[in-house]
Amino acid sequence: MMPNIDPDSFNQRGVPYLPGLLGIRVTRIAGQSLAAELAVQQSHLAPNGYLHAGTVVTLADTACGYACIANLPEGAANFTTIELKSNFIGTAREGVIECEAKAVHAGRNTQVWDAEVRHRDSGKLIATFRCTQMILWPKQA
């Protein structure tokens, strides 16, 4: 894991970007896993009154992306998402949704992360998520 990476550093990093705008908070980083949460607000819902799929995907993608950053190979410059998939199982209208991202493959050139999004109080599964990250290396002169 990269040094000086902790939940507070990710939370501060995200403030001026989409994770901060949505209110996503990283709560735990442990090796090749990361947990994040989001308190559901009306702005996170679709016009039909249910949790917007984009809110769920953003929470899962943020958790996986931050976990990837925390686990970049030594010397890597960054990463970019090259593929993602989500299956929606349930929904929420209120409360807190939580996400846990776990590494499936943490290689030198690609990483694959799985995440589950659940409703905190009920434990109900809301979505499963998988993404593939391409590791970016500094350009050679």
Side-chain angles (χ1 to χ4, degrees):
M1 192 157 75
M2 292 183 65
N4 302 320
I5 296 287
D6 60 28
D8 288 338
S9 66
F10 280 125
N11 293 332
Q12 288 303 310
R13 170 185 258 177
V15 166
Y17 301 101
L18 187 58
L21 181 65
L22 291 180
I24 294 171
R25 277 188 357 95
V26 175
T27 58
R28 179 181 47 78
I29 304 170
Q32 293 184 338
S33 72
L34 183 141
E37 65 182 20
L38 171 73
V40 177
Q41 301 172 25
Q42 184 177 358
S43 61
H44 299 132
L45 306 178
N48 66 3
Y50 292 99
L51 194 58
H52 194 290
T55 300
V56 177
V57 169
T58 301
L59 174 61
D61 190 50
T62 298
C64 291
Y66 284 172
C68 183
I69 290 169
N71 287 278
L72 284 173
E74 187 174 335
N78 214 325
F79 80 96
T80 191
T81 302
I82 56 176
E83 193 256 350
L84 60 80
K85 179 190 185 316
S86 190
N87 289 94
F88 298 94
I89 313 300
T91 191
R93 293 179 185 219
E94 60 187 14
V96 175
I97 57 174
E98 300 176 315
C99 179
E100 183 168 12
K102 294 181 179 180
V104 174
H105 167 74
R108 179 172 164 72
N109 295 307
T110 60
Q111 292 188 4
V112 177
W113 292 86
D114 279 352
E116 288 189 348
V117 178
R118 294 185 176 273
H119 190 271
R120 175 183 289 164
D121 292 337
S122 69
K124 180 180 173 184
L125 181 63
I126 293 173
T128 61
F129 180 89
R130 174 170 276 191
C131 64
T132 303
Q133 316 289 21
M134 180 173 63
I135 306 304
L136 303 176
W137 294 90
K139 292 187 179 190
Q140 301 294 323

